[in-house]
Amino acid sequence: MKKELSFALNYALNKGFQIHPDAFKILENVDVKKLEKIIKEIVREKTRQKLFQISQDDLETYLGIKDDPMLQGEIKVLSDPTMITTGEGVKGYNALFSSRFNKLKRIISDRPESRMLKSIASVKTVKLEDDMYVCGLVTTRNSERNITKLVLEDPSGSFEGIVFDAELQKTADTLLTDQFVMARINLGKNLGFIIKDLILPDIPEQMVNKSETEAYAVFLSDLHIGSKYFMEEEFTEFVSWLSSPDPVARKIRFVLIGGDIVDGVGIYPNQNKELVCQTIEEQLKKVEDLIDKIPKNVKIIIMPGNHDPGRRALPQPAIPKKYNSGLWERENVVMVGNPSVVSLNGVKVMMFHGQSIDDIVKTTPGLSYDKPTNVMKHLLRARHLSPIYGSQTPIAPEMQDLLVIEDVPDIFHVGHVHRAELDMYKGILLVNSGSWQKQTPFQASVGMIPNPGIAIMVNLKTFQVFHENYNSNLNNILQS
Ligand code: D5M
Ligand code: FE
Ligand code: ZN
C-alpha cells in the first residue's frame, strides 16, 4: 500500500472511524498528494456530525464525483461514407471532379462576387473590358521568379492566368493542385489573362453549437495497437483514469478515436519485425480488451486510418465487421468511416484521419509536420479534406465527392502526424490528437518528432480544453 494511503487510513482509524470497503476503493484512486487534505477534512466534518463511518457516498460528495445522471451523452452520426457506391474508372473520376466543382461552386455562391461569375469558355470569347470572375479547379501551378502561372478548369474548359502582384503571388503559391478557387481576371495588354485576385471558398465567421450540459469529449488517435512502440502502459493508465474520481473524468461522455487504432499488417516493408501482435484479429482483440475498461456510460467513436483494416482509398468505410464483430456489437461503440461528421450533444465534430497532410506539406511553402493545425486551416479554407489527386493519398472514384467540407463543423479532429496540437480558426476548435505510439525507427530516420501520450479533452458546454499527459519525457507539450 502506498505510504500516503496508509497514513490516511491510520489517521481516520486513530480518530475512531471505520472506512467502508467501497470508500477505500475510491481512496486508492485519489491523487496521493491530495489524500492527507481530503481525509482530514472528511474526519473533521463527520466528527462534527458525530458520525464515525466514512462511506462511498461521503467521498463521492466530497470529491464532487457522483456521475451526474443529467449529463447528456447523445450521439448522432450526421455523415458517414461507410455505405458508399464507387464509380468505375474514367467515368467515376469525371463524376468525382464534377461533383467537387459543383459542390464548391455552390459554397462560393454565398459570396457577393459570385454574381459576376462567368464560365471559362465564355470569358475567352467576350471582349473583356471590366474585371470578370471565373472559378475552377487548379490543374497547374508554376512559380517562376516573379510571376505565378495558374491553369484553372471548369466544365466548359480551361484557362491560363498570370499573377504578377507580389502579395497575391504568396496566396497563389499556396494553392494545391485540384483545389477549387475563384479568380478575378482581366485581359492583359498582349491578350493574356491577368489574375487580379484569388478567392477561396473558406469558412464564414460563425457561432458554434454548444452542449447544454457540461459533458466532456476525449480526442485520441494513432494508438497503433499491435506495434511494439504502442505505449500500452501509459494508455492503460489513461483508461483507468477514466474511471477515477477526478472531476473531469467523471464528466467524460465521449471518446473519439481518429484512426490508426491498430498498427495493421503489411502496411510497410518488414512491419512484422515491429509488431507484438502479428494478425489484425489479435490486434483488434487487444483494442476490445482496452475498450472494455472504459466506463459503459462513455460512447466510443472509432474511425479508421491508413493502418486500419479495410479499404485504403478515401473515403474509407468503417473497419469491416468481419475483422471484429465484437466492436460493432458493443452498445457504447459507434463505428464510422473516414471522414465522418458526428454530433455530440449538438456539437458538430468533423473527424478525418489526415492522410492528405503528407501531400500538402511536401508542396506548400510555409506548412510543416510540426504545425499540423496550420494544415488543417488550409483544408478549411479550401473546403476540402484532400484536394491533391494522384499523389500519396489514394482517393476512390466515387460518384460524389464526399471529401468536400459541406457542413461547417464546431470542432475539427485530425490525427495521423503524431503531434498533439490545438488551435482555433473562425470559431472552430482545431484538435490534432497526437498519438500513443513512441517514435518509430522510420520516424527517427526522417526527423519526425512525435509528442505521444497526451489525451486532449474538451468541455462541450464551454469549449474549455484540458489535457492529461502520460509522457514523462514531455513537459510543455501543447501550443495553442
Ligand atoms: O504516419 C505517421 C506519420 O509518418 C505521418 O505524418 C506520415 C509519416 N509517414 C509514415 N510512413 C511514411 C512513409 N513511408 N513516407 C513518408 N511519410 C511517412 P502513420 O500513418 O502513423 O504511419
Ligand atoms: Fe498513425
Ligand atoms: Zn496515419
Side-chain angles (χ1 to χ4, degrees):
M1 195 189 300
K2 288 182 195 134
K3 69 175 189 312
E4 293 88 348
L5 185 58
S6 57
F7 168 86
L9 292 180
N10 284 329
Y11 181 87
L13 293 173
N14 289 338
K15 300 268 178 191
F17 275 79
Q18 281 181 18
I19 298 179
H20 193 274
D22 290 339
F24 179 71
K25 272 192 213 137
I26 295 178
L27 285 175
E28 276 185 316
N29 284 316
V30 168
D31 180 355
V32 289
K33 293 194 272 312
K34 296 183 187 154
L35 265 173
E36 182 176 339
K37 181 166 177 272
I38 293 169
I39 204 77
K40 285 187 171 167
E41 286 188 15
I42 292 180
V43 163
R44 188 184 324 126
E45 178 59 24
K46 298 222 68 166
T47 307
R48 209 174 50 76
Q49 296 169 8
K50 298 197 171 50
L51 297 167
F52 294 95
Q53 163 115 200
I54 297 176
S55 66
Q56 179 184 2
D57 199 53
D58 294 328
L59 275 171
E60 286 181 344
T61 307
Y62 177 82
L63 294 165
I65 57 170
K66 280 198 154 170
D67 272 357
D68 178 355
M70 299 307 283
L71 223 52
Q72 305 158 275
E74 189 190 85
I75 166 157
K76 282 192 202 129
V77 177
L78 302 179
S79 146
D80 173 11
T82 299
M83 304 308 282
I84 37 186
T85 51
T86 304
E88 294 269 327
V90 175
K91 190 165 161 257
Y93 289 109
N94 287 340
L96 178 74
F97 281 104
S98 118
S99 161
R100 177 181 298 192
F101 177 84
N102 289 330
K103 284 185 181 195
L104 286 159
K105 192 174 167 197
R106 202 173 316 131
I107 289 171
I108 216 156
S109 67
D110 289 340
R111 301 290 197 104
E113 303 92 328
S114 72
R115 271 181 284 126
M116 295 172 279
L117 259 179
K118 295 267 182 289
S119 75
I120 286 178
S122 71
V123 293
K124 283 178 167 174
T125 55
V126 294
K127 211 167 139 267
L128 265 187
E129 278 163 6
D130 298 324
D131 288 354
M132 293 275 193
Y133 288 84
V134 292
C135 65
L137 304 179
V138 177
T139 59
T140 321
R141 182 194 85 194
N142 264 322
S143 307
E144 287 160 24
R145 247 172 320 159
N146 46 13
I147 59 159
T148 298
K149 280 185 188 165
L150 289 177
V151 179
L152 302 186
E153 198 172 285
D154 79 0
S156 74
S158 77
F159 120 111
E160 184 183 76
I162 301 176
V163 181
F164 289 106
D165 180 82
E167 268 312 296
L168 191 59
Q169 216 187 328
K170 284 188 199 148
T171 310
D173 290 348
T174 65
L175 288 178
L176 307 168
T177 320
D178 306 318
Q179 167 171 4
F180 178 95
V181 68
M182 175 155 76
R184 178 157 64 85
I185 57 168
N186 207 327
L187 204 55
K189 285 196 189 81
N190 45 10
L191 297 179
F193 287 108
I194 300 171
I195 297 177
K196 297 288 210 52
D197 198 6
L198 290 163
I199 300 144
L200 298 173
D202 214 330
I203 304 277
E205 283 289 348
Q206 31 132 38
M207 294 289 287
V208 291
N209 298 295
K210 295 196 168 165
S211 164
E212 275 174 26
T213 57
E214 289 214 346
Y216 284 59
V218 183
F219 294 83
L220 307 174
S221 67
D222 298 270
L223 276 50
H224 291 265
I225 292 174
S227 158
K228 69 177 182 190
Y229 305 104
F230 166 50
M231 294 160 65
E232 181 159 5
E233 212 176 288
E234 291 85 347
F235 189 72
T236 309
E237 203 186 323
F238 168 67
V239 167
S240 37
W241 175 83
L242 291 173
S243 359
S244 78
D246 187 291
V248 172
R250 299 286 27 89
K251 288 182 181 158
I252 287 169
R253 289 293 175 275
F254 308 98
V255 169
L256 285 74
I257 306 179
D260 285 0
I261 188 163
V262 294
D263 204 52
V265 174
I267 306 292
Y268 57 88
N270 295 320
Q271 188 185 15
N272 55 337
K273 298 197 181 102
E274 297 184 359
L275 292 178
V276 287
C277 304
Q278 294 292 340
T279 66
I280 283 293
E281 288 75 12
E282 241 184 292
Q283 296 179 2
L284 286 170
K285 175 70 178 65
K286 203 159 176 174
V287 170
E288 240 188 308
D289 293 345
L290 284 165
I291 271 180
D292 280 342
K293 297 195 175 111
I294 298 176
K296 295 293 169 285
N297 62 355
V298 175
K299 304 245 168 46
I300 303 156
I301 299 134
I302 300 180
M303 186 190 80
N306 51 310
H307 281 255
D308 298 302
R311 172 168 111 167
R312 289 291 287 281
L314 295 177
Q316 293 180 281
I319 296 175
K321 249 185 218 150
K322 66 175 179 191
Y323 296 105
N324 185 312
S325 54
L327 286 173
W328 282 86
E329 281 153 14
R330 286 199 169 32
E331 268 189 18
N332 62 333
V333 174
V334 180
M335 303 291 278
V336 296
N338 170 32
S340 276
V341 182
V342 294
S343 151
L344 314 176
N345 295 346
V347 176
K348 266 193 226 173
V349 183
M350 178 167 68
M351 298 173 77
F352 173 51
H353 180 61
Q355 287 95 322
S356 59
I357 298 175
D358 294 330
D359 295 330
I360 295 169
V361 295
K362 257 190 254 160
T363 56
T364 316
L367 294 179
S368 67
Y369 277 123
D370 45 298
K371 289 288 272 172
T373 53
N374 281 349
V375 186
M376 292 162 71
K377 290 179 206 168
H378 214 64
L379 298 176
L380 290 171
R381 285 192 284 266
R383 293 290 285 261
H384 200 282
L385 293 170
S386 190
I388 305 172
Y389 175 79
S391 194
Q392 226 173 288
T393 309
I395 296 174
E398 302 303 338
M399 303 307 285
Q400 288 252 346
D401 190 343
L402 299 173
L403 302 171
V404 173
I405 303 170
E406 289 187 86
D407 261 357
V408 178
D410 303 309
I411 300 179
F412 184 20
H413 175 201
V414 170
H416 189 54
V417 294
H418 297 208
R419 287 222 42 106
E421 200 197 1
L422 290 163
D423 210 337
M424 293 287 291
Y425 183 68
K426 307 244 171 136
I428 303 169
L429 177 65
L430 311 181
V431 179
N432 193 298
S433 47
S435 78
W436 292 80
Q437 184 190 38
K438 288 189 195 129
Q439 192 189 40
T440 65
F442 168 80
Q443 290 166 359
S445 76
V446 294
M448 265 192 67
I449 304 167
N451 61 356
I454 302 164
I456 294 179
M457 285 158 268
V458 178
N459 178 332
L460 297 174
K461 183 178 181 187
T462 62
F463 274 47
Q464 208 183 352
V465 178
F466 298 78
H467 69 267
E468 283 280 312
N469 175 17
Y470 289 85
N471 187 337
S472 48
N473 298 323
L474 294 172
N475 297 316
N476 183 19
I477 19 120
L478 294 178
Q479 307 125 301
S480 49

